[in-house]
């Protein structure tokens, strides 16, 4: 249930019950129980006589032969004093008779007394009937409006205005009513007079355009206070008249005179301009507001504006004519004509609401109208049946009649229950079919291997099964979901736009979902304090979406998606069976979704494996792995990536001058990204090696500048370059890489680590490289070894590094074999046996000069 509707539902019920009871009760009592009989003529006091002033055309007085100007002498043999009190007594005597009673009027005409029989009638009060019809229509439309949008102040204000109009229709009393009823009706009339005019003004201050004056408390207090004071004074005057038996009398029994009489005359005139001003003020605000709204709403409101203007003119004409012809019997009997257009105002609003969607009432209309119609028809049939039965069985004792009524109420209740359940089934799908539709989405085998297809099918199935007013399937990322944009109207009837914003799922809520399978969460204010804890904006956003339930879908134990569901079947709530079904749907969807996720992961792994295999082959093509024979030298080289691809660089190329260039490098990082950067660095080395005039320092400078543009903020390349010629002369440069090793024998003093200083390539911020170049001659049987830190930083179980010293010892031990290739393989095997923790790319290059 909408939280705003839940908050005011009892208020709506009791206000509707009270207004309907008072209006219908007053109308029924006035028209049938306490209806006053009428002779359809009027009298006045003239020269100490009661004279017939006016006779209604085609009325019973005219049929009896009464004429205007006849002097009333007796009625049914009773004489009445020619005073105001006597006239009132004669009127009450006539009103108290039943319909069809024949009274003998004794009138004096041309100094002769004539006896005339007159049959009394009880005419229907068409004025009150028109007002009642108008009130019921306005109340019914306003109830639909407030049920469809209870959070809007405009809809609630519309309901209060219509309820007051309904109450006004019962604020009339017949001349034959008892004292208690007259006082009660006077209270109703005073309450209506105090509320209806200010509510009329206040409503059009809010609708269709919200004026700032609606928030001016002093103005509103003045308006409501003025009409409340006027209503209290009117009630006191009416009470005075009622207690004085129809004539104003002071405590001494004399009629009011002097200042009191003047004050009463002023007070009798004052309400007319006051109420006319309220009607015109509301119409003015309605007119001004209509021309400040968008074109679509303006076209929708113009018929209602025209009808409201015509009604105001109609009431103004009635007021003016009543001031002039109020004493005329014909005018009083035909005044209902001015009230006949009143129902057109709620009807015009109903047309605008349904045709142009000023309020979304269609979603509740069918349900509530069906319920009310069934209830009304059942009760009417029950009461009609009782009336028919007892009209033919009048001899039944009262005790037996009461027992019979009680027994007849049992089948009535059973029938009403069956009818209402039948109507409810029209709004609520049979549970078995709902379950079949909801679970059909997760039973199709072809949906089991596609996340997207499964979620789309689930959305369609839930939409068909529950027909929610709002439905959306949202992915869950980092324990939160992104609420879609929404629009709503605040309590001041202003449009509020909510942009997409994240809704966090608390860890405790997810833990309950994993452990207890609590997958269906209520989103109402009383069920979701965790939403309010994230701020009133999030709470208002969820309310604007109209979401009532959140359905969590777990793939394994990890939240995958969330389904937001709005109200279903014209605002029927989700019951326990519905929630259990949704929980079953979520569990089944989660199991199927886990299969789909695993399938997608396997496919992704397969694609990644293929891509990595392709990348490995490409990288192997870039790495120098085979060299043509180099006269006077033996070369051994090997690169072993930690993964399918790696970031180590191994490059050997003959330059146009005939010298050879070897490079061993290491891109920071591992995997495919490092391999891509390595490929770029290899291409740059290939290009640099083709330029004969470029020295090692210049080569490093160009590489540093270019790589700084290619690599990221934290990317860099360490590199060692070795250039040699046929006589064994070499030049060595290092850019942040481990130094080169030169071996000339097996003893410890026969190995040298060469570490010329130099900065890594591509580092940020840019700075001087200061790359030092070391030159020398590689002696016969001497080895020049270049390696990457994957060899020296290999680590065993105890956390001990393989180290440069161990690498030198191993190379010196193998130097005696005279085979760089055998030494290269042996070093790799020894490092592989040693390393247990720190798997990294490994590269080794050995250049050995042969003995001449």
């Amino acid at each position: 249930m909408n939280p705003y509707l839940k908050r005011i539902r009892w208020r709506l019920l009791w206000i509707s019950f009270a207004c309907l009871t008072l209006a219908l009760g007053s109308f029924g009592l006035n028209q049938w129980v306490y209806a006053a009989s009428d002779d359809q003529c009027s009298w006045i006091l003239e020269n100490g006589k009661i004279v017939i002033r006016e006779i209604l055309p085609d009325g019973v007085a005219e049929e009896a032969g009464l004429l205007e100007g006849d002097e009333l002498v007796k009625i049914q043999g009773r004489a009445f004093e020619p005073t105001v009190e006597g006239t009132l007594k004669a009127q009450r005597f006539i009103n108290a008779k039943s319909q069809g009673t024949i009274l003998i009027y004794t009138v004096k005409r041309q100094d002769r007394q004539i006896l005339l029989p007159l049959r009394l009638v009880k005419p229907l009060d068409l004025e009150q009937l028109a007002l009642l019809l108008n009130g019921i229509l306005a109340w019914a439309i306003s109830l639909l409006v407030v049920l469809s949008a209870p959070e809007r102040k405009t809809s609630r204000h519309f309901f209060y205005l219509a309820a007051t109009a309904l109450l006004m229709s019962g604020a009339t009393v017949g001349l034959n009513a008892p004292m208690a009823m007259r006082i009660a009706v006077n209270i109703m009339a005073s309450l209506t007079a105090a509320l209806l005019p200010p509510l009329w003004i206040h409503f059009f201050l809010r609708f269709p355009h919200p004026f700032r004056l609606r928030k001016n408390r002093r103005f509103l207090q003045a308006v409501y206070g003025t009409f409340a004071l006027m209503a209290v004074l009117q009630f006191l005057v009416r009470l005075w008249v009622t207690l004085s038996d129809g004539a104003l009398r002071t405590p001494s029994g004399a009629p009011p005179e002097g200042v009191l009489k003047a004050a009463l005359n002023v007070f009798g005139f004052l309400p007319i301009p006051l109420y006319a001003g309220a009607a015109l003020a509301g119409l003015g605000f309605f007119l001004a507001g209509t021309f400040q709204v968008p074109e679509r709403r303006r076209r929708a409101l113009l018929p209602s504006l025209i009808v409201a203007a015509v009604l105001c003119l109609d009431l103004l004409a009635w007021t003016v004519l009543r001031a002039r012809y109020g004493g005329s019997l014909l005018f009083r009997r035909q005044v209902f004509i001015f009230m006949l257009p009143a129902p057109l105002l709620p009807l015009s609003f109903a047309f605008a609401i349904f045709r142009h969607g000023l309020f979304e009432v269609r979603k509740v209309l069918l349900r509530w109208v069906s319920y009310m119609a069934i209830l009304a028809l059942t009760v009417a049939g029950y009461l009609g049946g009782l009336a028919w039965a007892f009209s033919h069985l009048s001899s039944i004792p009262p005790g037996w009649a009461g027992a019979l009524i009680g027994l007849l109420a049992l089948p009535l209740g059973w029938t009403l229950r069956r009818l209402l359940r039948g109507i409810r089934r029209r709004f609520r799908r049979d549970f078995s079919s709902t379950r079949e539709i909801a679970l059909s989405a997760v039973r199709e085998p072809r949906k089991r291997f596609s996340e997207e297809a499964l979620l789309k099918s689930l959305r369609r199935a839930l939409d068909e099964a529950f027909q929610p007013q709002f439905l959306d399937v949202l992915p869950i990322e980092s324990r939160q979901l992104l609420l879609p944009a929404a629009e709503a109207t605040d309590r001041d009837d202003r449009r509020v736009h909510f942009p997409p914003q994240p809704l966090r799922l608390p860890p405790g809520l997810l833990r309950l979902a994993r452990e207890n399978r609590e997958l269906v969460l209520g989103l109402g204010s009383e069920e979701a304090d965790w939403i309010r804890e994230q701020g009133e904006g999030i709470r208002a956003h969820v309310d604007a979406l109209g979401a009532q339930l959140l359905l969590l879908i777990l793939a394994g134990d990890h939240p995958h998606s969330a389904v937001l569901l709005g109200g279903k079947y014209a605002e029927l709530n989700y019951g326990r069976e519905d929630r259990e079904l949704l929980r079953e749907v979520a569990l089944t969807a989660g199991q199927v979704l886990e299969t789909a996720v695993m399938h997608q992961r396997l496919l992704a792994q397969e694609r990644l494996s293929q891509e990595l295999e392709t990348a490995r082959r490409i990288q192997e093509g870039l790495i120098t792995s085979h060299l043509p024979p180099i006269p006077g030298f033996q070369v051994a080289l090997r690169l072993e990536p930690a993964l399918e691809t790696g970031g180590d660089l191994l490059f050997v190329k003959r330059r146009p001058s005939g010298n050879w260039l070897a490079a061993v490098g290491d891109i920071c990082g591992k995997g495919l990204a490092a391999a891509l950067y390595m490929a770029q660095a290899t291409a740059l080395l290939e290009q640099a090696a083709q330029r004969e005039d470029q020295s090692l320092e210049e080569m490093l400078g160009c590489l540093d500048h270019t790589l700084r543009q290619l690599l990221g903020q934290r990317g860099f390349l360490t590199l060692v370059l070795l250039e040699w010629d046929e006589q064994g002369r070499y030049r060595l440069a290092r850019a942040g890489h481990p130094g080169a090793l030169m071996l000339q024998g097996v003893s410890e003093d026969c190995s040298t680590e060469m570490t010329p200083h130099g900065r890594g390539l591509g580092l940020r911020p840019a700075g001087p490289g200061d790359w030092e170049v070391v030159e020398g001659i590689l002696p016969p049987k001497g080895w020049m070894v270049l390696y990457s830190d994957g060899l020296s930083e290999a680590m065993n179980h105890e956390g001990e590094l393989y180290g440069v010293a161990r690498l030198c010892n191993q190379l010196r031990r193998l130097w005696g074999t005279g085979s760089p290739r055998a030494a290269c393989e042996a070093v790799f095997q020894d490092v592989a046996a040693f390393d247990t923790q720190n798997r990294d790319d490994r590269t080794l290059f050995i250049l050995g000069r042969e003995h001449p």
Side-chain angles (χ1 to χ4, degrees), residues 283-552:
L283 182 63
F285 287 123
F286 190 12
L287 177 63
T290 300
F291 287 94
Q292 293 188 39
V293 295
E295 180 66 24
R296 182 184 65 84
R297 298 191 72 187
R298 188 182 308 154
R299 290 197 303 268
L301 289 169
L302 279 177
S304 299
L305 177 61
I306 294 172
V307 172
V310 170
L311 282 177
C312 287
L313 292 176
D314 177 68
L315 293 177
L316 182 62
W318 170 73
T319 303
V320 172
L321 291 175
R322 191 183 71 166
R324 184 169 183 180
Y325 303 106
S328 170
L329 178 63
L330 181 61
F331 177 80
R332 291 200 303 270
R333 296 304 168 87
Q334 301 298 323
V335 75
F336 73 92
I337 297 174
F338 293 96
M339 302 302 163
L340 289 180
L344 294 178
L345 185 60
L347 288 175
S348 66
F349 269 105
F351 173 77
I353 289 170
F354 285 99
R355 178 65 178 83
H356 300 280
L358 298 183
F359 296 93
E360 295 295 333
V361 301
R362 295 183 181 182
K363 61 185 179 182
V364 296
L365 175 63
L366 184 60
R367 176 191 175 195
W368 290 101
V369 168
S370 300
Y371 281 179
M372 294 297 178
I374 288 295
L375 183 62
L377 291 175
T378 306
V379 173
Y382 174 67
L383 295 178
L386 287 180
W388 178 86
F390 285 102
S391 65
H392 292 78
L393 302 172
S394 57
S395 61
I396 297 178
W400 289 102
L404 183 60
I405 292 174
L407 291 175
L408 289 176
L410 295 178
L412 171 72
W414 181 83
T415 303
L416 183 60
R417 179 175 177 270
R418 291 295 301 269
L419 290 173
L420 292 180
R421 289 186 65 180
I423 291 296
R424 182 179 175 86
R425 279 195 296 269
R426 297 292 298 176
F427 295 102
R428 182 176 185 179
R429 191 189 305 274
D430 180 70
F431 185 76
S432 59
S433 60
T434 302
R435 186 175 185 276
E436 185 65 28
I437 294 172
L439 291 175
S440 63
V442 294
R443 288 177 176 169
E444 298 182 33
R446 58 194 180 94
K447 301 285 194 315
R448 293 182 177 270
F449 301 110
S450 172
E451 298 177 53
E452 184 179 359
L454 175 64
L455 294 178
K456 285 184 178 180
S457 178
L458 179 63
R459 177 171 184 161
R460 286 195 300 269
L462 292 178
D463 190 27
E464 182 181 357
F466 295 100
Q467 299 177 9
Q469 299 167 15
F470 171 77
L471 174 63
D472 204 352
V473 181
L474 305 174
I476 299 177
E477 299 178 357
S478 302
R479 296 192 306 184
Q480 64 182 18
L481 51 93
L482 188 65
L483 296 176
E487 281 194 358
T489 305
D490 63 9
R491 295 186 178 182
D492 293 328
D493 209 44
R494 293 174 300 186
R495 301 298 296 178
V496 180
H497 175 72
F498 295 94
Q501 55 182 327
L503 174 65
R504 299 190 305 275
L505 301 176
L509 187 147
L510 295 176
R511 184 175 61 254
L512 286 175
R514 287 192 296 266
E515 296 175 358
N516 301 331
R517 296 305 175 186
E518 295 291 340
L519 303 176
V520 182
L521 309 175
L523 298 181
S525 299
E526 67 281 358
E527 295 184 86
D529 292 335
W530 57 276
I531 297 179
R532 192 174 299 279
E533 291 173 357
Q534 300 182 39
E536 292 296 331
I538 294 290
R539 177 71 265 172
H541 194 162
V542 174
D543 291 341
L545 290 172
Q548 291 188 11
L549 293 180
L550 184 146
L551 189 64
L552 278 175

Side-chain angles (χ1 to χ4, degrees), residues 698-719:
E698 294 173 344
M699 191 180 298
L700 290 173
C702 293
L703 287 172
D704 179 53
H705 176 74
T706 305
L707 289 175
R708 190 174 293 109
Q709 309 301 321
L710 296 176
L711 301 178
Q713 291 289 335
R714 299 182 180 180
F716 62 91
L717 167 67
T718 63
L719 189 68

